[in-house]
Amino acid sequence: MTNVLLADWETPFQIAPFDAISDDDFAPALEVALENHKTEIDAIADSDDDPGFANTIEALEASGKDLDKVLGTFFTVTGADSNPKREELQRDFSPRLAAHFAEISSNKALFARIKAVWDARDTLELTDEQQRVLMLTHRNYVRSGAALDGAEDARMKEIKGRLAELGTAFTQNLLADERDWYMKLGESDMAGLPAFVVDAVRAAGEEKEAGSPVVTLSRSIIVPFLQFSTRRDLRKKAYRAWTARGANGDKNDNRAIAAEILKLREERANLLGYQNFANFKLETEMAKTPEAVRDLLMAVWEPAKSQANADAWVLEQMLKADGIDGPLEPWDWWFYAERRRKDLHDLDEAEVKPYFQLDRMIDASFDCANRLFGLEFTPLDIPLYHPDCRAWEVTRGGTHVAVFIGDYFARGSKRSGAWCSAMRAQAKFPEAQTPIVINVCNFAKGDPALLSYDDARTLFHEFGHALHQMLSDVTYESISGTSVARDFVELPSQLYEHWLEVPQVLHEFATHAETGEAMPQALLDNVLAAATYNMGFQTVEYVASALVDLEFHDGPAPADPMQKQAEVLEGLEMPHAIGMRHATPHFAHVFAGDGYSSGYYSYMWSEVMDADAFAAFEEADGPFDPEKAAALEEHILSTGGSEDAAELYKAFRGRLPGVDALLKGRGLAA
């Protein structure tokens, strides 16, 4: 029988038939897909025809469709709904996939054909998009080591394979720590917790079958616990468990893995002629150099640290007023910051949270997309990979645009964080295909599910990524959707967060879970006035992580990453009561793969642009100005990686931005 993963899917919009797929289907499907892809690549490389754009570059674009189907399905479920079988398959697949793609990138006959097309590019009468695809293809093969020979070529393959194994191990160790740890709570242990946190820890206890409420290491549970629990001893225990992920000295310890990853990345960069990995990685980003990244981060670090230190002094006085000796500790910050927020802004999260229902925030994100881009969302009743998931058909003017899937709730089988991925990306070649886009979050379950304001921002953020995929309008899949420079890819997502702050959006969609009434104007004003509250803390914890990431890669690989981390933080004079947002042993952005390695700064690089880009709407006719929305879609959301990122931004805004808009937006300008 034909493996279901390789069959023609007669499902709505050819979405994976999750109800017909078993874990036993993945390995045999991968075997066939890899062999099919190898056959396609060999046919291109060994062709007797003279190399041309169609028989080389377009042929590469058309290859691997079976592999795309298998991997698109597999990595969707392993990230969001893992189990021991899937984890075992992932450990097996990762080095095999690395070896497969390393074999392709080191295929000398194939690279010779690509280079021949590249050398003849001025005589081929290519479109601008074809020129871009050709340039990126040639550059990617060179950067993958296609020009290496002999021992260097063999070593590059070894490095890629080992990095794939290590990245998988890092991810699975982190998932294991997050899944296995929880802290049981008795009734007296829930002192100070508002109803929405009590509901969340009870639901977590049911999910864990613990027989009592529990605090887990899900951010949507542990942060509210740190904000409201009056039990300082339990806050300390929970915080230490949270920050010790991947560093418990057991089989899930990630510290040696991180050290080996950094060493291999350095060797990889050296083989390609670069001084270090940061120089290699940043060459293709907007930033271009480690110096440019460091300049941006330090321009923000000093005002952020100054604000954080001033806030820490105030919070420590509150601690002492409670009769507690000793300095303000990291497990105290959230608690006293929440109390101070209530005092300064008459804002209590327990009062605010009922206005941020998950379903209403989904509606808000859809409504903004409709007003800006004419998109409409109709629920789909189709089998998905988990009962928590839901799906919508996205249309415009009656024409199908995409399928959007939302997977919003935390569970033990899902890795932490929030992300957007495409099971299928938009393309017109070799045939037209519309995108299937997924947003995955880790919100606490409830009835109804209630979000914090930060949770709501996360929902809008990930939906901004989804719009980048859904509105893509290019010919070739390799430059579709979010296939842009890493420090540009966060622009659409961070920009979309601004629409959550639009008063008319909150007035319409921030309705109370019990009464259905709109948020009172005074409370809405307080929510918006507090948007930059605690921004010194938030900026310091982020920038510290970004600078540690940069220093890991901009120079010799440290033998002991934890010592290097400590040295960087000491040099920055990191405030005592603030920890890195992502310490090394659980810094999945950097160590689960190469995506954000030397690139965690990119959120802030994009924020420089998003603050300036939203100002363009404010300078026009407001947040729903139709001309600016059309320009945003034309120059950024629809273009994928079809042009240089800086040129795309200048086409939208007319110039590149400076850091001033970011500092103003974070309330740090003074």
Side-chain angles (χ1 to χ4, degrees), residues 76-91:
T76 293
V77 298
T78 54
D81 191 27
S82 193
N83 59 37
K85 175 65 173 179
R86 291 170 185 173
E87 291 181 8
E88 178 186 355
L89 289 170
Q90 191 174 12
R91 288 191 295 270

Side-chain angles (χ1 to χ4, degrees), residues 6-253:
L6 301 172
D8 292 331
W9 292 340
E10 302 297 332
T11 50
F13 313 109
Q14 293 78 53
I15 193 169
F18 289 106
D19 56 340
I21 297 170
S22 78
D23 289 345
D24 291 334
D25 293 322
F26 286 117
L30 183 70
E31 290 285 352
V32 175
L34 287 174
E35 188 59 38
N36 290 348
H37 193 212
K38 183 179 185 304
T39 299
E40 292 168 338
I41 295 298
D42 288 345
I44 299 168
D46 299 337
S47 173
D48 292 330
D49 296 332
D50 290 339
F53 187 83
N55 66 19
T56 304
I57 307 304
E58 285 190 330
L60 285 170
E61 289 281 335
S63 69
K65 296 305 178 185
D66 287 341
L67 194 56
D68 290 344
K69 287 175 64 176
V70 174
L71 297 182
T73 307
F74 177 72
F75 284 115
T76 293
V77 298
T78 54
D81 191 27
S82 193
N83 59 37
K85 175 65 173 179
R86 291 170 185 173
E87 291 181 8
E88 178 186 355
L89 289 170
Q90 191 174 12
R91 288 191 295 270
D92 177 50
F93 287 2
S94 292
R96 294 179 61 203
L97 289 168
H100 173 75
F101 288 108
E103 194 68 35
I104 293 172
S105 64
S106 63
N107 185 315
K108 303 310 175 189
L110 177 62
F111 181 61
R113 292 182 67 83
I114 293 169
K115 186 174 185 304
V117 180
W118 171 249
D119 290 342
R121 61 191 180 279
D122 293 336
T123 68
L124 300 178
E125 298 182 354
L126 302 177
T127 66
D128 289 345
E129 186 177 336
Q130 288 173 331
Q131 287 274 14
R132 177 75 174 172
V133 170
L134 173 58
M135 185 279 290
L136 291 173
T137 302
H138 179 260
R139 187 178 75 181
N140 289 343
Y141 272 78
V142 171
R143 288 171 58 83
S144 293
L148 298 177
D149 291 310
E152 291 184 339
D153 185 26
R155 180 57 183 156
M156 180 64 81
K157 291 179 185 176
E158 292 175 357
I159 290 172
K160 290 180 180 179
R162 181 58 178 159
L163 283 172
E165 292 176 349
L166 293 169
T168 297
F170 190 98
T171 302
Q172 293 189 351
N173 288 345
L174 180 55
L175 177 62
D177 272 2
E178 292 172 343
R179 179 182 58 222
D180 296 344
W181 188 93
Y182 57 85
M183 180 174 68
K184 288 187 175 184
L185 300 177
E187 289 302 317
S188 64
D189 298 331
M190 293 190 284
L193 302 184
F196 75 87
V197 183
V198 172
D199 289 344
V201 296
R202 290 193 191 282
E206 292 174 6
E207 196 258 338
K208 294 289 187 186
E209 299 181 347
S212 71
V214 302
V215 174
T216 70
L217 297 181
S218 168
R219 191 177 187 92
S220 63
I221 289 179
I222 200 164
V223 169
F225 182 80
L226 292 170
Q227 283 178 302
F228 294 105
S229 175
T230 57
R231 289 285 301 276
R232 192 179 190 227
D233 58 329
L234 297 182
R235 296 202 311 265
K236 178 179 179 179
K237 182 179 179 181
Y239 179 84
R240 285 189 163 173
W242 192 31
T243 55
R245 290 170 294 158
N248 288 301
D250 56 14
K251 61 184 176 62
N252 299 326
D253 199 296

Side-chain angles (χ1 to χ4, degrees), residues 349 352-359 361-362 443-444 449-457 459:
E349 182 150 330
V352 172
K353 202 158 186 174
Y355 290 97
F356 289 95
Q357 300 173 68
L358 171 62
D359 287 350
M361 291 300 101
I362 294 171
F443 303 140
L450 303 179
L451 307 182
S452 67
Y453 188 64
D454 283 346
D455 287 339
R457 288 177 68 98
L459 187 147

Side-chain angles (χ1 to χ4, degrees), residues 292-344:
V293 173
R294 192 174 289 105
D295 287 347
L296 168 67
L297 294 175
M298 292 308 297
V300 179
W301 173 258
E302 291 301 334
K305 185 176 68 171
S306 177
Q307 182 63 59
N309 284 332
D311 291 340
W313 186 89
V314 174
L315 299 184
E316 189 163 301
Q317 304 318 301
M318 296 171 68
L319 176 84
K320 291 178 178 178
D322 280 349
I324 299 173
D325 292 329
L328 183 77
E329 298 290 353
W331 47 89
D332 297 317
W333 190 293
W334 276 274
F335 180 74
Y336 287 102
E338 179 62 26
R339 273 180 39 181
R340 186 184 181 210
R341 181 172 73 150
K342 187 175 182 179
D343 292 342
L344 287 177

Side-chain angles (χ1 to χ4, degrees), residues 511-586:
T511 54
H512 198 279
E514 295 179 4
T515 67
E517 295 179 358
M519 184 182 292
Q521 187 63 47
L523 183 58
L524 189 153
D525 291 342
N526 288 341
V527 167
L528 295 177
T532 59
Y533 174 71
N534 208 30
M535 196 56 73
F537 170 89
Q538 294 180 37
T539 306
V540 161
E541 64 164 2
Y542 164 77
V543 175
S545 295
L547 283 166
V548 168
D549 166 41
L550 181 66
E551 299 305 330
F552 275 163
H553 297 97
D554 185 26
D560 183 350
M562 299 306 293
Q563 180 181 341
K564 180 67 173 180
Q565 173 184 296
E567 290 171 356
V568 173
L569 297 181
E570 183 180 0
L572 292 170
E573 298 181 334
M574 181 79 169
H576 170 75
I578 304 179
M580 294 169 62
R581 182 170 299 178
H582 304 290
T584 299
H586 53 262

